[in-house]
Amino acid sequence: MSSFDFEAVIFDIDGVILDSMSLWEDLGVRYLRSFGITPEEGLNVKLFAMSMEQGAEYLSSNYKELGKSASELLVELRELIRNFYLDEVLAKNGAAEFLEYLSSKEIRITAATSSPHDYVEGALGRLNLLKHFERIFTTTEVGESKHSPLIYNLACRSMDATPARTIVCEDSLYALKTASKAGYITIGVFDASGEKNQEELKTSSSIYVRDLSEAIKALA
């Protein structure tokens, strides 16, 4: 066994298990192009910093040719996201391999995600990965973002584990820092469309990997 004495793992989903971060990065552009509309330069950056509701308002106000209210846009954007998760998104390289490895060692596994529960569950089911997860926790359901350790603590408790013996896998620096401060072992995961500050993600992690299959070697 590795120097890390662990009995459970909590996975973020987007950018860790699912190769889905690019959708969130270019959602507005993808939507506009589906109507044959050329988006302004830098739209991705503007929308990425907004909530879904704010983004829908922005598109409604700045792209009058759509002829849609913010509420109508919000419904259509959510449908686009839903279809992506249920029909298109793929697993990240090494994800299935790492989950199989953990399951073979009888390590308990849960998910902690900011994405809608049914989208994540549908994607994991389609990719035959859902079988590895005991439960899926979402920030919406627990009522707090990952700036708070609540979602990790609830997931940890559900597996009858302790933070000191639980690994949290994250691609986002702020979330990984939250878990680390709460006493969890952390694995920082590289994602090309995710965290920009990879150097700090690397130095803030107990283990840093570019591919989850690397985690097998680190923990073996």
Side-chain angles (χ1 to χ4, degrees), residues 27-173:
L27 179 62
V29 168
R30 180 188 283 227
Y31 178 78
L32 290 175
R33 285 180 176 158
S34 73
F35 289 95
I37 298 172
T38 301
E40 68 198 81
E41 190 163 346
L43 179 65
N44 285 342
V45 176
K46 287 181 182 177
L47 294 180
F48 195 70
M50 299 180 186
S51 67
M52 283 281 289
E53 291 78 10
Q54 289 170 331
E57 187 65 50
Y58 182 88
L59 292 176
S60 178
S61 299
N62 290 275
Y63 293 88
K64 300 291 189 185
E65 60 267 48
L66 285 168
K68 297 175 187 290
S69 67
S71 59
E72 289 172 324
L73 279 166
L74 191 58
V75 169
E76 293 185 3
L77 286 169
R78 284 176 172 157
E79 185 65 15
L80 191 156
I81 296 167
R82 179 181 180 278
N83 291 341
F84 176 77
Y85 276 87
L86 299 186
D87 302 327
E88 295 181 44
V89 71
L90 300 176
K92 288 192 68 177
N93 290 337
E97 186 180 354
F98 189 37
L99 288 168
E100 289 286 355
Y101 168 80
L102 294 173
S103 292
S104 72
K105 300 292 184 184
E106 298 186 346
I107 300 296
R108 300 183 72 173
I109 301 168
T110 54
T113 179
S114 299
S115 291
H117 193 290
D118 55 338
Y119 297 0
V120 167
E121 187 172 56
L124 293 175
R126 175 172 55 81
L127 295 166
N128 198 32
L129 300 177
L130 187 61
K131 63 187 179 183
H132 297 291
F133 293 86
E134 293 184 14
R135 287 186 64 181
I136 297 170
F137 291 84
T138 74
T139 53
T140 298
E141 290 166 345
V142 304
E144 292 186 19
S145 75
K146 289 183 178 179
H147 287 286
S148 158
L150 178 62
I151 192 168
Y152 304 121
N153 292 340
L154 291 174
C156 182
R157 247 177 262 149
S158 77
M159 296 184 288
D160 301 315
T162 60
R165 297 191 64 199
T166 301
I167 293 173
V168 171
C169 298
E170 282 283 357
D171 67 314
S172 173
L173 179 60

